[in-house]
Amino acid sequence: MAASSANLSLLSKPSTASSPPHLLFNLPKTLSANPRPGTSRFKCSAGQTGFFTRLGRLIKEKAKSDVEKVFSGFSKTRENLAVIDELLLYWNLADTDKVLDELEEALLVSDFGPRITIKIVENLREDILSGKLKSGSEIKDALKKSVLELITTRGSKTELQLGFRKPAVVIIVGVNGGGKTTSLGKLAYRLKNEGAKILMAAGDTFRAAASDQLEIWAERTGCEIVVAEKDKAKASSVLSQAVKRGKEQGFDVVLCDTSGRLHTNFSLMEELIACKKAVGKIVPGAPNEILLVLDGTTGLNMLPQAREFNEVVGITGLILTKLDGSARGGCVVSVVDELGIPVKFVGVGEGVEDLQPFDAEAFVNAIFS
């Protein structure tokens, strides 16, 4: 397809067999905040009432059917915390201090963080000494409930918030090597499989191979992609052109990749502000989501990154990657509690379906099974 400007081009990728192009045609164009009752949850289209609301919920519902992936993905963290079952198996009141000290150590090793760990342990101690918890199984249940409440209270909006204006715009940000481009590709796969028409924007204009990598994902998922034709084009220009194209051609969601950057690099962080402003000029209210990709293997070291990105552009959600290779799954709880930003997705494997919508209950059951 011909370039829409001197520096940009739109590459069309054929739809896959699993995502036939006719799914999105000849549908009413009315949008509403409330989906029609009785509508099949598998007939998603941006033209239907409440499409974005249903799309987010559908992805969330699907996560509940994929709990096995989450369970296996957190195996290393679960092994770390298995000592808790041993501690509580023969628990008695006289051993309370010793048991809670070892439980505290197990939580810290799994990167729950000092503040959260102390809060959990002291709440358990209080309930034990007051007679509310009288057995090992009751303590275990109270522990799981406490962690679940921490996550759901501080980071409740785990569904994608895509608004009600087409196209929804999602910008993916993060440091180098965190898995931004891969996460974007896997997110496109999920959204495309639910019937959304996806346009990718290759806004990582600093890394030479980034556009090539995203083009591979576009072909793999049957999506279209806007790329810069010249080296070191402005990311804001690429994203702006992609959102324009998305608006003109009726795309449901525009997924925007960005260059990896250290959170300490002021000039590159400023570029993200320019990207945010550029898309907002095309679609009022955009971007709908700014998702920060964090490497789960870094554990609590991710917190300074998250704070800085949040201060600069206002992060709306987190994608935590590589958790299947880490025993530090407690960082999920820490980052939500520290920042009050919800986790939207977790990476629990290398497969295209292994970017899982975050479900707090499934997570707690996976690490404390």
Side-chain angles (χ1 to χ4, degrees):
M1 184 176 294
S4 56
S5 75
N7 296 330
L8 302 161
S9 66
L10 178 68
L11 304 181
S12 301
K13 304 298 178 181
S15 298
T16 59
S18 61
S19 306
H22 66 268
L23 284 178
L24 298 168
F25 296 160
N26 301 321
L27 295 165
K29 295 182 179 179
T30 304
L31 292 177
S32 168
N34 300 310
R36 284 195 301 265
T39 303
S40 170
R41 70 186 191 88
F42 290 104
K43 293 181 180 178
C44 288
S45 169
Q48 292 176 306
T49 304
F51 166 69
F52 289 132
T53 301
R54 274 199 306 277
L55 182 61
R57 289 177 181 169
L58 179 54
I59 291 173
K60 188 74 174 175
E61 288 171 16
K62 204 158 187 178
K64 295 183 183 297
S65 66
D66 290 339
V67 289
E68 309 82 25
K69 289 183 180 292
V70 176
F71 189 82
S72 62
F74 284 99
S75 59
K76 291 187 178 181
T77 301
R78 187 166 58 252
E79 289 169 10
N80 253 6
L81 296 172
V83 65
I84 294 175
D85 289 326
E86 298 173 20
L87 291 171
L88 298 178
L89 184 61
Y90 301 108
W91 172 85
N92 61 70
L93 190 59
D95 293 333
T96 296
D97 287 339
K98 178 184 176 182
V99 168
L100 290 180
D101 285 346
E102 294 190 40
L103 187 151
E104 180 179 304
E105 183 179 349
L107 293 176
L108 287 172
V109 168
S110 297
D111 264 13
F112 274 79
R115 190 167 68 85
I116 293 175
T117 297
I118 292 172
K119 182 178 180 180
I120 291 172
V121 170
E122 289 309 310
N123 285 344
L124 289 175
R125 190 190 308 277
E126 184 179 328
D127 287 346
I128 290 170
L129 297 180
S130 67
K132 292 181 181 178
L133 304 176
K134 301 177 181 178
S135 68
S137 61
E138 288 181 356
I139 295 173
K140 173 77 174 291
D141 289 342
L143 171 62
K144 292 171 68 174
K145 182 179 178 182
S146 179
V147 172
L148 183 60
E149 286 178 352
L150 279 171
I151 301 173
T152 54
T153 300
R154 294 284 289 153
S156 57
K157 293 184 178 180
T158 58
E159 296 178 7
L160 283 175
Q161 307 295 311
L162 299 178
F164 306 102
R165 183 181 282 110
K166 189 170 69 170
V169 180
V170 179
I171 297 179
I172 310 292
V173 302
V175 301
N176 293 305
K180 292 186 311 305
T181 304
T182 299
S183 295
L184 188 152
K186 291 180 179 180
L187 180 57
Y189 174 83
R190 275 198 172 272
L191 294 172
K192 183 72 182 286
N193 278 357
E194 302 307 336
K197 186 179 179 183
I198 307 298
L199 179 64
M200 295 180 180
D204 185 350
T205 56
F206 283 89
R207 187 164 60 94
S211 292
D212 293 339
Q213 185 182 357
L214 199 61
E215 284 183 48
I216 291 171
W217 273 108
E219 185 172 1
R220 189 175 181 184
T221 56
C223 298
E224 294 185 15
I225 180 172
V226 172
V227 301
E229 288 187 335
K230 293 185 178 180
D231 293 338
K232 296 185 179 179
K234 286 187 177 180
S236 57
S237 177
V238 179
L239 268 53
S240 176
Q241 187 63 34
V243 175
K244 282 182 184 176
R245 188 65 71 169
K247 186 176 181 180
E248 292 169 359
Q249 297 188 358
F251 284 88
D252 299 319
V253 184
V254 180
L255 297 178
C256 304
D257 195 14
T258 60
S259 302
R261 65 205 69 222
L262 290 174
H263 57 288
T264 54
N265 189 318
F266 180 76
S267 62
L268 287 179
M269 294 296 281
E270 285 289 301
E271 184 190 62
L272 290 180
I273 298 176
C275 291
K276 184 177 178 180
K277 289 179 178 178
V279 300
K281 290 178 181 178
I282 310 302
V283 177
N288 303 84
E289 291 271 16
I290 301 178
L291 302 180
L292 173 61
V293 177
L294 295 169
D295 184 344
T297 62
T298 64
L300 291 176
N301 293 326
M302 68 174 65
L303 285 174
Q305 298 174 25
R307 288 193 191 100
E308 191 64 32
F309 274 96
N310 190 41
E311 287 179 11
V312 173
V313 290
I315 301 302
T316 61
L318 304 171
I319 298 176
L320 302 186
T321 62
K322 308 178 187 179
L323 287 169
D324 55 309
S326 172
R328 307 166 81 176
C331 65
V332 173
V333 186
S334 298
V335 74
V336 171
D337 185 70
E338 288 279 343
L339 303 174
I341 300 173
V343 176
K344 305 272 183 172
F345 294 90
V346 289
V348 292
E350 297 294 327
V352 69
E353 296 183 349
D354 290 335
L355 184 70
Q356 291 293 308
F358 182 69
D359 181 89
E361 188 173 355
F363 165 74
V364 171
N365 288 332
I367 63 173
F368 288 118
S369 178

